[in-house]
Amino acid sequence: MPSTDAPALTTAPGLLSPELDALGVSYGHDGGTLRVWSGAADAIELVLFDDTDLDWITDQLPLEPVGGGVWQVTTPLLRPGTRYALQVDGPHAPGNTFNRGTLLIDPYSRGLVSTGYEGWRSVAVDGAFDWGGVAKPKVPLDRTVIYEGHLKGLTKRHPGVPGALRGTYAGLGHPAIVEHLVDLGVTSVELLPIHAFATEPRLLQHGLANYWGYNTVNFFTPHAAYATEDARRQGPEAILREFKGMVRLLHEAGLEVILDVVYNHTSEEGIGGPRTSLRGIDNRAYYRQNEDGSYVDVTGCGNSVNTATDAAARLILDSLRYWANDVQVDGFRFDLAATLGRDGAHTFTPEHPLLQAILNDPALDGVKKIAEPWDVGMGGWQTGNFGEGWHEWNDRYRDRVRNFWLSDVDYARRASTAPVGIGGFATRLAGSSNTFSAERGPLASINFVTAHDGFTLRDLVSYDVKHNMGNGEQNRDGADTNRSFNHGAEGPTANEDILATRRKAMRNLLGTLLLSSGVPMLTAGDEFARTQRGNNNAYCHDSPLTWLSWEHAPWQLELRENVKRLIALREENPALRPSRFARLGEVTPSASVMEWYDERGETMEGDRWTDPTHRTLQYVAASTPEVEDFNRILLMVHGNERPIDVTLPQIEGVTRYVSLWSSEEEVPLADRATHAPGDVVPLSGTSMHLFRAE
């Protein structure tokens, strides 16, 4: 049997003790060895259970301390398939919550089975899997297009997926889904949490569920409910095998798998919440606390994992190594990543040993590392501050793009002019150089207009306010500031003028996202304008409200064709995806040299950037290639509702402009018109037009 030993830490001496190697279960000639860390425990016991009756204890064995806070036991009774738990005893003092009678999850267990509400048993697994020689796609960052979706919601309603596979790991690997993703042109599927998670008691009281999964029970185990019924019946070994099979199928199609991982808190909530694992093993070491034992909660979820301790940091690092190597996932999006970078005084620092270890660990080389760069604690907003090697969700990009195409236009309807000019929007379009350093470049920015959290794209252009009454909190939950615009009617309408304007607004938002410098992230279903009926916080709805519908009206299929065309144009034109920021007077490889012109084809003057009455721009980007042919594009942007005539600029070496895409068209045109420098191109209100300059 293969060993499940965790490799030794080699990247950050002093961060973690070498005695912490091989935590969890490993196998050898004498059977299975279990190693558990607890710095404060007085005694730890391994409790073994019957294979079918999870309340029937078959044996109890003490673990012995072996140094460095590690406890160990070796027994032939510990083998793949064994159900087990831990019982831990220790001193009673502020910050400790030991209770010898509580049955606890091994933090490193690769499998779990539920005994009912708040009850779990760890399961030892083998983990053997034949990858068939299929390797990771290793998509370069400049060519990466992320597709963020929910594992269950993606396939639950797809008619091409067999009923037994809908909503499962196997369903995501089904040809019907893979073909959609490949045809669309995305490269990397980012899945909302798939680590084993639980629904909070308060949601159960309302008859709701934690659908998104940001309430982790264990960092090493795939969520059992996402496996097929057949795999669940066979047990954790089969569930893990199904997950790996999904990864292999996506890799065969050239698609990467990125996991949204929640290491900032756990499902144990605040003091008085469930005691399922870390709290009962060493509460003081694993959770941030004040001296009196009260929790320091910077996540808003009741607890915060204390990454200032070696044990908690090592747990996270070992989990990442496991998923990246044993399970072959391609990247991670770190939920509330600012929490992971907080030191012993709970202050964020980009030099935090854990953040540096994640970057420098050879076992994580080539793995995409994406931070959600904020939490709810003091100093929690850290966009742009994570340092070289990290990529960050760019909320500044999201807000500026929404403002430009939606709330600014809404304002202009009422005040006759927009509140701001085009300068801030242009900065975001060009890679957010005011947020990310030259060393990090534009690819540090994960650009997005929507995400799982908030309005869908369709709802963003259809609702002025949230409609969250179904969440059981009297519409108090969810963001109040959405920068959305309903274009004249709240929600559904039969007014064709409003509907047409909404469709063009969606094309403008998608065009901006997919033509901007940086790494674009598309939210699943936005390619065909799915709706959640105005709910901007649908985390608690496991229902058709959140499952993607695959039955689409003609206009929705037309929108999908626009997304497909835009992704293809991004791939075909390297000037749209620079890896570095250009520097004035220098030739910077893999950068795009940018020039800016107004609607008259003249170089933009300084005062025009901030003039709110001037919201028309021609953006020219010329690549400085290292491995691709030279390429130059021109993008027209017009940000108010009055039509305008735009004169194409006279640029040395450019003899013609080839039309590639326009947001004015409901369906992308196959016939590509050409224009000469100096030609006048009419633009309707709030629109974009992309050309290749030849």
Side-chain angles (χ1 to χ4, degrees):
M1 294 175 194
S3 169
T4 57
D5 289 4
L9 183 73
T10 59
T11 55
L15 169 63
L16 301 168
S17 302
E19 290 85 0
L20 296 185
D21 293 349
L23 293 176
V25 175
S26 58
Y27 305 108
H29 297 301
D30 298 327
T33 296
L34 172 66
R35 289 163 62 90
V36 177
W37 183 90
S38 177
D42 292 334
I44 302 181
E45 197 165 51
L46 169 64
V47 184
L48 301 174
F49 295 89
D50 181 73
D51 289 346
T52 56
D53 186 344
L54 297 177
D55 294 319
W56 181 9
I57 296 174
T58 60
D59 216 328
Q60 294 178 256
L61 301 170
L63 278 71
E64 300 296 331
V66 295
V70 176
W71 298 69
Q72 176 176 308
V73 64
T74 299
T75 172
L77 300 176
L78 195 57
R79 59 191 183 276
T82 298
R83 274 67 171 156
Y84 69 99
L86 304 173
Q87 288 184 321
V88 184
D89 200 4
H92 296 280
N96 292 333
T97 55
F98 293 109
N99 185 329
R100 192 179 188 114
T102 305
L103 295 167
L104 302 169
I105 297 167
D106 169 14
Y108 280 73
S109 59
R110 273 44 167 181
L112 286 178
V113 288
S114 173
T115 65
Y117 176 62
E118 292 184 8
W120 304 90
R121 302 289 181 262
S122 294
V123 181
V125 301
D126 180 340
F129 185 79
D130 181 7
W131 290 97
V134 177
K136 293 184 179 183
K138 297 183 179 179
V139 179
L141 270 165
D142 70 301
R143 295 175 181 268
T144 298
V145 179
I146 297 172
Y147 186 83
E148 188 210 32
H150 188 282
L151 189 286
K152 181 177 182 178
L154 280 167
T155 66
K156 184 63 177 175
R157 302 174 70 186
H158 198 297
V161 176
L165 304 186
R166 291 177 192 158
T168 70
Y169 301 122
L172 185 60
H174 188 272
I177 301 298
V178 172
E179 288 167 9
H180 170 75
L181 298 171
V182 171
D183 184 63
L184 190 62
V186 297
T187 67
S188 310
V189 181
E190 182 177 305
L191 297 174
L192 268 65
I194 57 78
H195 288 171
F197 65 87
T199 291
E200 297 88 334
R202 63 178 179 81
L203 290 178
L204 293 173
Q205 291 170 3
H206 289 287
L208 299 170
N210 186 320
Y211 173 66
W212 286 350
Y214 293 89
N215 198 43
T216 307
V217 171
N218 176 268
F219 296 146
F220 286 83
T221 307
H223 191 57
Y226 292 160
T228 57
E229 183 178 348
D230 183 55
R232 295 199 304 272
R233 188 165 48 246
Q234 293 180 55
E237 194 81 62
I239 292 168
L240 178 58
R241 189 162 54 247
E242 182 178 318
F243 187 95
K244 291 180 177 180
M246 173 199 74
V247 174
R248 183 177 64 189
L249 288 168
L250 292 172
H251 283 178
E252 285 177 345
L255 295 166
E256 294 182 317
V257 179
I258 298 172
L259 300 184
D260 193 336
V261 285
V262 188
Y263 294 122
N264 59 80
H265 76 282
T266 75
S267 61
E268 291 186 301
E269 301 185 1
I271 293 293
R275 180 179 16 224
T276 55
S277 185
L278 303 181
R279 176 173 292 147
I281 293 171
D282 196 322
N283 185 55
R284 175 65 83 178
Y286 281 114
Y287 293 119
R288 294 187 178 275
Q289 300 174 39
N290 296 308
E291 286 301 315
D292 63 359
S294 59
Y295 276 6
V296 176
D297 179 11
V298 297
T299 67
C301 301
N303 65 63
S304 304
V305 173
N306 188 4
T307 56
T309 70
D310 287 354
R314 179 56 184 266
L315 175 66
I316 292 168
L317 196 61
D318 282 348
S319 172
L320 293 170
R321 288 168 158 178
Y322 172 71
W323 291 99
N325 294 287
D326 290 54
V327 193
Q328 288 286 290
V329 304
D330 305 275
F332 303 96
R333 179 267 189 189
F334 294 83
D335 181 64
L336 300 185
T339 299
L340 307 186
R342 290 183 179 271
D343 60 20
H346 317 304
T347 301
F348 174 81
T349 169
E351 303 303 320
H352 190 287
L354 175 60
L355 298 184
Q356 293 303 307
I358 291 170
L359 288 178
N360 299 324
D361 192 335
L364 301 177
D365 185 42
V367 172
K368 291 179 168 68
K369 304 165 183 80
I370 301 168
E372 182 185 38
W374 52 78
D375 64 18
V376 301
M378 289 290 291
W381 187 70
Q382 294 292 335
T383 305
N385 294 335
F386 267 71
E388 192 171 356
W390 284 96
H391 312 278
E392 301 177 36
W393 273 28
N394 190 348
D395 56 321
R396 292 178 174 179
Y397 176 94
R398 174 201 63 201
D399 294 349
R400 178 60 70 179
V401 171
R402 288 186 181 189
N403 281 347
F404 185 80
W405 290 117
L406 299 175
S407 56
D408 287 0
V409 175
D410 178 23
Y411 185 97
R413 282 193 183 184
R414 293 178 280 107
S416 76
T417 185
V420 297
I422 202 169
F425 175 84
T427 300
R428 299 300 164 194
L429 186 68
S432 297
S433 61
N434 61 343
T435 301
F436 301 101
S437 67
E439 292 73 24
R440 299 181 69 189
L443 297 180
S445 177
I446 304 297
N447 297 333
F448 67 106
V449 176
T450 65
H452 67 275
D453 187 1
F455 280 143
T456 66
L457 181 71
R458 181 173 174 181
D459 291 354
L460 195 63
V461 303
S462 305
Y463 294 90
D464 279 353
V465 296
K466 65 187 181 184
H467 296 264
N468 295 356
M469 289 300 295
N471 296 358
E473 297 185 43
Q474 290 73 52
N475 211 39
R476 292 191 300 266
D477 66 305
D480 293 312
T481 303
N482 296 286
R483 297 174 168 84
S484 60
F485 179 31
N486 66 21
H487 293 88
E490 186 72 358
T493 179
N495 186 312
E496 181 52 41
D497 289 339
I498 292 176
L499 293 174
T501 304
R502 287 176 178 177
R503 291 194 298 270
K504 185 161 69 168
M506 285 190 282
R507 293 193 296 273
N508 284 328
L509 290 163
L510 289 165
T512 303
L513 173 66
L514 292 165
L515 301 178
S516 293
S517 298
V519 179
M521 186 185 78
L522 179 70
T523 303
D526 278 354
E527 70 269 32
F528 38 68
R530 79 178 185 96
T531 180
Q532 291 177 169
R533 301 198 295 273
N535 192 319
N536 76 348
N537 191 34
Y539 74 103
C540 54
H541 295 279
D542 186 356
S543 71
L545 179 72
T546 50
W547 305 336
L548 270 64
S549 170
W550 294 88
E551 296 179 0
H552 304 131
W555 71 268
Q556 292 175 289
L557 298 176
E558 291 168 355
L559 184 67
R560 182 189 178 278
E561 287 304 304
N562 276 278
V563 175
K564 181 178 175 181
R565 169 67 67 83
L566 286 162
I567 293 174
L569 290 172
R570 182 180 185 86
E571 172 67 19
E572 294 165 7
N573 293 275
L576 291 169
R577 43 183 174 81
S579 300
R580 301 181 179 94
F581 292 125
R583 298 185 181 187
L584 188 63
E586 299 180 16
V587 176
T588 304
S590 295
S592 287
V593 177
M594 299 170 184
E595 299 174 359
W596 308 89
Y597 300 90
D598 62 17
E599 70 275 14
R600 299 167 299 195
E602 299 174 358
T603 300
M604 279 281 286
E605 300 293 338
D607 58 345
R608 306 210 81 191
W609 291 107
T610 56
D611 183 354
T613 65
H614 178 257
R615 288 167 59 88
T616 307
L617 181 70
Q618 297 188 78
Y619 161 56
V620 176
S623 68
T624 51
E626 290 182 278
V627 294
E628 299 180 83
D629 292 337
F630 173 76
N631 171 245
R632 180 158 43 196
I633 60 92
L634 180 146
L635 179 63
M636 291 180 179
V637 177
H638 179 50
N640 67 48
E641 294 192 293
R642 294 182 294 275
I644 194 170
D645 289 336
V646 180
T647 302
L648 288 163
Q650 304 275 355
I651 299 175
E652 184 178 355
V654 174
T655 59
R656 67 173 187 166
Y657 295 95
V658 179
S659 176
L660 301 179
W661 175 82
S662 172
S663 68
E664 297 173 288
E665 306 293 341
E666 296 272 4
V667 182
L669 297 177
D671 183 22
R672 298 184 173 183
T674 61
H675 301 268
D679 283 358
V680 174
V681 177
L683 286 182
S684 60
T686 55
S687 58
M688 306 176 74
H689 198 147
L690 178 69
F691 301 84
R692 185 169 56 245
E694 298 181 346

